[in-house]
Amino acid sequence: MLAAVLAPMVVLVSSARGETRVPVRLDPRAGPVLAAPILLPAVGGRAVIGEGWADVTVGPRTFRFILGAPLFRLDGKLQTLVGSASLRRDTLQLPIQFVSEILPGALGDRFRYDARLARLVDGAPAVIAARESPRNPNRLPNGLRRGHGVTIDAGHGGVDPGNPGLFFPNGLREKDVTLQLSLLVRDELASRGVKVVMTRRTDTLIDLRSRGAYCRDDCDLFVSIHVNSLPRRPGYQRVRGFETYFLAEAKTEDAARVARMENEAIRFEGSGDPAEQPGGLDFILKDLQLNEHLRESARAAELVQSYLQESHTGPDLGVKQAGFMVLTTARRPAILIETGYSTNPDDARLLTARASQRNLAASIADAVVAYLLEYERKVGLGPREPAVAGRSRK
Ligand SMILES: [Zn+2]
């Protein structure tokens, strides 16, 4: 419990490879944890996940964590932990003790942890860092292959204001805030070496079904950015938080409500009821290529949720699915982020203050880069194999 109270929000890993911010999540059962797909690339490590255990290898050492139990094994010796390693939506999460004590203990000549700054220093000389992450003219300093493209879609625009923005200052509405956030995400991605195409850069309306067309062959991911709101009902102003959707049949009434709200833009386009459009959701979901994209989309959504915890003060409302028209036409993995509620004063402030907007945009950009790195490893283009994330598939 004490460890939970004192846990930092972010652990900074610095090495010859650069600096990585690893968000700390407070898991109700496992205590403060770090997502392995974010941490391990930063220390040149990897993980293999089996039934009930996970082997984490960093340098010459392999740590076997017992999932869900406060135990790990090193050199044949079972040792106790304060928290535990566990899987969350198929993502391995490691107790913070792994960076604060275990790595510096087992690889003391290489790792040092500064608890005051919540900083893990990886002193591996540049030669080791270079071996683990070979210098390659086709790679960016963050390890990413050059030439990735992402489409950022600022929700609504022009005659479609989106939601009225109950607590937004200065008459801002959803369409204004989505554009501000999207432009910041574009800048953050550009500074990470990812090429960005915007569906809109000004206050104009783009047809919902045309937006996906901005993401085709040379595009790796489509990201639509929105702000949620609730209809007037008792206590509605207290609801806040962020959630990320991918395209599939809605599982809950609330997910269906959000999709209906975002799909309403179509009435500004004078093209009738969305339900009567040809190529409905079930038709699209039969497309096998798209099924692969759905798995990728779900993964991208998970990473966005993980990273946004770092900069968002509201609760993580999780990955959800629903039938968003804007996502149906992207022929690539596609997600829609509801960045918060304009009907909640705290979220409204967070979404409109410049500093917090920048932090949110940086988190989204970090998540996109993590997704692209993971995708590269999965398809065998990555600098280090095997894949860091996910359950081992047989
Ligand atoms: Zn919206």
Side-chain angles (χ1 to χ4, degrees), residues 11 28 41 43 58 113 131 142 183 195 206 219 259 283 291 299 318 365 390:
V11 167
V43 294
V58 178
Y113 184 72
R131 194 173 68 223
N142 56 14
L183 290 169
K195 199 181 80 194
I206 311 287
C219 163
F283 170 80
N291 277 337
R299 184 62 193 146

Side-chain angles (χ1 to χ4, degrees), residues 54 62 80 94 106 113 175 185-186 219 280 285 319 336 356-357 387:
T62 295
T80 56
L94 295 168
Y113 184 72
K175 66 171 182 177
V185 172
R186 174 194 65 182
C219 163
L285 291 176
V319 172
L336 183 145
S356 45
Q357 282 185 331

Side-chain angles (χ1 to χ4, degrees), residues 6 22-23 26 32 82 130 133 161 186 242 253 255 263 265 269 303 350:
L6 297 176
V22 187
L26 212 50
V82 179
S133 170
R186 174 194 65 182
F242 55 100
E253 180 43 43
N263 289 345
E269 295 158 14
L303 287 163
L350 184 85

Side-chain angles (χ1 to χ4, degrees), residues 155-156 162-163 174 178 225-228 261-262 338:
H156 312 278
N163 79 60
E174 182 188 358
T178 61
I225 293 180
H226 287 259
V227 179
N228 215 334
M261 186 170 68
E262 302 300 8
E338 293 285 355

Side-chain angles (χ1 to χ4, degrees), residues 72-307:
F72 76 102
R73 206 174 64 203
L74 178 65
D75 303 330
K77 259 204 324 240
L78 206 56
Q79 307 185 37
T80 56
L81 289 163
V82 179
S84 59
S86 57
L87 290 180
R88 180 170 182 252
R89 299 189 200 118
D90 271 8
T91 296
L92 176 63
Q93 25 179 42
L94 295 168
I96 192 169
Q97 211 183 347
F98 183 61
V99 294
S100 64
E101 291 171 32
I102 298 170
L103 272 182
L107 293 159
D109 51 341
R110 177 169 158 189
F111 290 103
R112 195 159 49 72
Y113 184 72
D114 182 332
R116 198 175 52 86
L117 299 174
R119 182 193 196 98
L120 180 74
V121 179
D122 179 353
V127 283
I128 293 180
R131 194 173 68 223
E132 284 169 354
S133 170
R135 258 195 116 58
N136 180 329
N138 294 322
R139 275 192 198 284
L140 298 158
N142 56 14
L144 213 52
R145 203 162 41 85
R146 283 180 199 280
H148 282 290
V150 169
T151 298
I152 301 294
D153 173 47
H156 312 278
V159 292
D160 169 18
N163 79 60
L166 182 59
F167 285 107
F168 288 156
N170 312 323
L172 287 181
R173 285 169 298 178
E174 182 188 358
K175 66 171 182 177
D176 307 306
V177 175
T178 61
L179 183 58
Q180 292 171 353
L181 284 170
S182 296
L183 290 169
L184 289 170
V185 172
R186 174 194 65 182
D187 296 348
E188 294 290 337
L189 279 170
S191 76
R192 288 161 178 75
V194 176
K195 199 181 80 194
V196 174
V197 171
M198 304 281 292
T199 56
R200 67 179 180 101
R201 279 169 296 179
T202 56
D203 185 15
T204 51
L205 181 66
I206 311 287
D207 190 299
L208 270 189
R209 278 153 305 158
S210 312
R211 294 187 184 227
Y214 287 83
C215 187
R216 295 282 177 183
D217 293 343
D218 58 346
C219 163
D220 296 297
L221 184 66
F222 179 89
V223 181
S224 189
I225 293 180
H226 287 259
V227 179
N228 215 334
S229 71
L230 280 173
R232 232 169 238 284
R233 66 188 184 205
Y236 77 110
Q237 295 180 0
R238 282 199 298 273
V239 178
R240 63 176 304 206
F242 55 100
E243 58 204 37
T244 305
Y245 285 84
F246 66 98
L247 177 72
E249 299 285 0
K251 282 222 170 130
T252 65
E253 180 43 43
D254 189 58
R257 177 193 67 79
V258 176
R260 271 197 305 275
M261 186 170 68
E262 302 300 8
N263 289 345
E264 261 209 352
I266 205 143
R267 79 192 150 89
F268 295 98
E269 295 158 14
S271 38
D273 183 348
E276 287 162 15
Q277 301 296 321
L281 190 57
D282 40 338
F283 170 80
I284 288 158
L285 291 176
K286 284 193 189 103
D287 185 325
L288 284 176
Q289 171 68 70
L290 208 74
N291 277 337
E292 180 57 24
H293 288 164
L294 291 186
R295 266 191 296 279
E296 298 297 335
S297 305
R299 184 62 193 146
E302 280 175 9
L303 287 163
V304 166
Q305 288 298 119
S306 288
Y307 276 83

